[in-house]
Amino acid sequence: MKAAMWYGLHDVRVVDVAEPPVEAGMVKIKIEWCGICGSDLHEFTTGPITIPVNTPHPLTGQVAPVILGHEFSGTVVEIGDGVTNVQIGDRVTVEPILTCGECVQCKSGRYNLCSQRGFHGITGGGGGFSEYTTIQSDLVHKLPDNISFEEGAVVEPAAVAVHAVRLSSLNIGDSCAVFGAGPIGLLIIQVARAAGASKIVAVDVSEQRLSKALELGATHIVNPTRQITAEVIHDVTDGHGVDVGFEAAGAELSFRETLQSVKPNGEMLIVSLWEREVSFNPNWLVLDERKIVSSVAYCREYPEVISLIASGKINARGLITKKIQLDDIVEEGFKTLLTDKTHSKILVAPTLR
Ligand SMILES: [Zn+2]
Ligand SMILES: [Zn+2]
């Protein structure tokens, strides 16, 4: 079968690999759509970040080259012995987080913080940029009839946004700012609206992304190349600052601006991944008791996220800006996302339908 594999920096190839076997407790899925994630781009431009290169990943036993793709939907085509939660023919999506089940974090229920955490589609074990993949059955979630396969491929990033907002201190009626209107930022905007935020300020350098943000629930927009972010936040919040600033851009300027947008005793929540270090003045925290918190992946939230998409509270379709086939993933997918910021989520199918 065809699969897109990460070989190294700027080196992703579509190659022919063996179809994965179905073992006991595993489910084989024929991939319908798989989204390209910011973390895939990070691995392409500055990796390896979490892809194992020299030491095999403790849970998958694999090193690069690995199959990429962790945001996918598909149809169950085979089940291993002992699988009872899904049947052949079911339409599904996958929670691609791999955990040991043994460490303190796993045992306390916070499996997203597992000491050996891996991701199907990043750290080996197969992935969604391929024709088929196999994964343990408890990570497979059925899609209701009113969620399309395209929307099913957006459940994973939507879960990242739901987890972030749940971990934040955001309460109904609060104001927030979302720095970075890429896919995760646009999803946080929708989740914050669903959670009852009264004011949602979206900050991004792309006009197209800002208009998308307005369409999906932002109440105010700021383009820092044309406006002074702090002034807009000041005006919108009557000089107080926002209750919660979500950092979803992963850039130094945005880090500082998020912190500076937050009211005294307010909170900045970091959800983005970083390619380099940042510097900031801790007085911004200390003098007004501001807080920095963070959020990674998701933990037992897939059923709720699927319901939020099914009920229309999260518009997953609104995020999808392009659909391509696997053979074109580098040129039409990765390179397009890196150069053309009008795009949000690009979905990849093994063969275009
Ligand atoms: Zn992702
Ligand atoms: Zn663990």
Side-chain angles (χ1 to χ4, degrees):
M1 67 168 189
K2 266 194 292 192
M5 300 188 87
W6 185 96
Y7 280 79
L9 195 58
H10 297 294
D11 187 6
V12 170
R13 305 176 209 164
V14 178
V15 294
D16 203 41
V17 298
E19 274 185 35
V22 186
E23 287 155 23
M26 306 279 279
V27 173
K28 183 172 179 178
I29 297 164
K30 179 179 183 289
I31 307 291
E32 294 285 341
W33 292 104
C34 181
I36 301 177
C37 174
S39 57
D40 299 323
L41 292 178
H42 285 301
E43 296 290 358
F44 185 70
T45 57
T46 44
I49 297 168
T50 50
I51 291 177
V53 174
N54 296 315
T55 314
H57 189 272
L59 297 179
T60 66
Q62 293 189 4
V63 287
V66 291
I67 300 175
L68 289 178
H70 59 273
E71 306 179 353
F72 59 91
S73 62
T75 308
V76 175
V77 290
E78 212 179 321
I79 56 173
D81 286 345
V83 173
T84 53
N85 64 323
V86 289
Q87 297 180 328
I88 291 171
D90 280 349
R91 301 164 66 256
V92 296
T93 188
V94 159
E95 185 177 353
I97 192 163
L98 308 175
T99 57
C100 76
E102 305 285 325
C103 70
V104 172
Q105 296 299 338
C106 279
K107 285 202 164 140
S108 74
R110 292 195 192 90
Y111 63 75
N112 59 321
L113 307 180
C114 171
S115 60
Q116 303 194 323
R117 181 186 60 214
F119 287 93
H120 187 85
I122 300 178
T123 53
F129 295 137
S130 62
E131 292 178 69
Y132 297 94
T133 201
T134 56
I135 193 159
Q136 63 190 77
S137 63
D138 58 341
L139 298 174
V140 180
H141 297 261
K142 279 195 240 183
L143 294 172
D145 291 341
N146 69 338
I147 292 191
S148 66
F149 282 120
E150 285 91 335
E151 292 167 310
V154 182
V155 172
E156 198 269 355
V160 171
V162 168
H163 185 67
V165 173
R166 281 185 163 190
L167 280 197
S168 80
S169 61
L170 188 83
N171 256 319
I172 187 162
D174 280 356
S175 60
C176 68
V178 180
F179 286 74
I184 296 295
L186 291 172
L187 285 160
I188 288 176
I189 287 166
Q190 301 191 55
V191 176
R193 181 177 63 172
S198 59
K199 289 170 181 166
I200 305 171
V201 187
V203 185
D204 200 284
V205 293
S206 154
E207 288 298 323
Q208 287 93 343
R209 286 182 164 194
L210 288 174
S211 60
K212 194 69 137 179
L214 273 181
E215 192 185 305
L216 294 175
T219 56
H220 301 77
I221 53 175
V222 186
N223 185 334
T225 63
R226 293 192 297 101
Q227 295 156 286
I228 297 168
T229 309
E231 282 180 5
V232 180
I233 301 271
H234 186 273
D235 291 349
V236 168
T237 60
D238 298 325
H240 301 306
V242 292
D243 294 288
V244 180
F246 293 96
E247 207 297 326
E252 181 154 4
L253 180 64
S254 139
F255 183 99
R256 286 203 292 261
E257 288 200 335
T258 308
L259 199 49
Q260 288 164 3
S261 75
V262 169
K263 71 174 190 184
N265 198 35
E267 174 184 284
M268 162 177 174
L269 185 140
I270 305 173
V271 67
S272 49
L273 286 173
W274 298 74
E275 292 182 351
R276 54 188 73 88
E277 294 177 0
V278 299
S279 69
F280 72 101
N281 186 342
N283 282 341
W284 267 97
L285 299 178
V286 176
L287 295 178
D288 289 304
E289 295 187 347
R290 293 185 178 87
K291 295 175 273 281
I292 299 183
V293 296
S294 62
S295 155
V296 68
Y298 27 75
C299 192
R300 289 184 308 277
E301 284 146 329
Y302 258 53
E304 291 85 343
V305 175
I306 290 169
S307 299
L308 284 164
I309 294 175
S311 66
K313 297 235 190 271
I314 294 176
N315 174 358
R317 195 173 309 223
L319 248 65
I320 302 164
T321 50
K322 194 178 180 188
K323 297 199 260 182
I324 62 173
Q325 62 180 348
L326 190 54
D327 284 327
D328 302 325
I329 188 167
V330 175
E331 292 301 322
E332 299 285 315
F334 289 178
K335 291 186 180 169
T336 298
L337 283 169
L338 288 168
T339 53
D340 182 354
K341 295 301 173 197
T342 61
H343 281 290
S344 179
K345 190 53 80 184
I346 296 182
L347 296 188
V348 183
T351 47
L352 213 51
R353 55 215 80 209

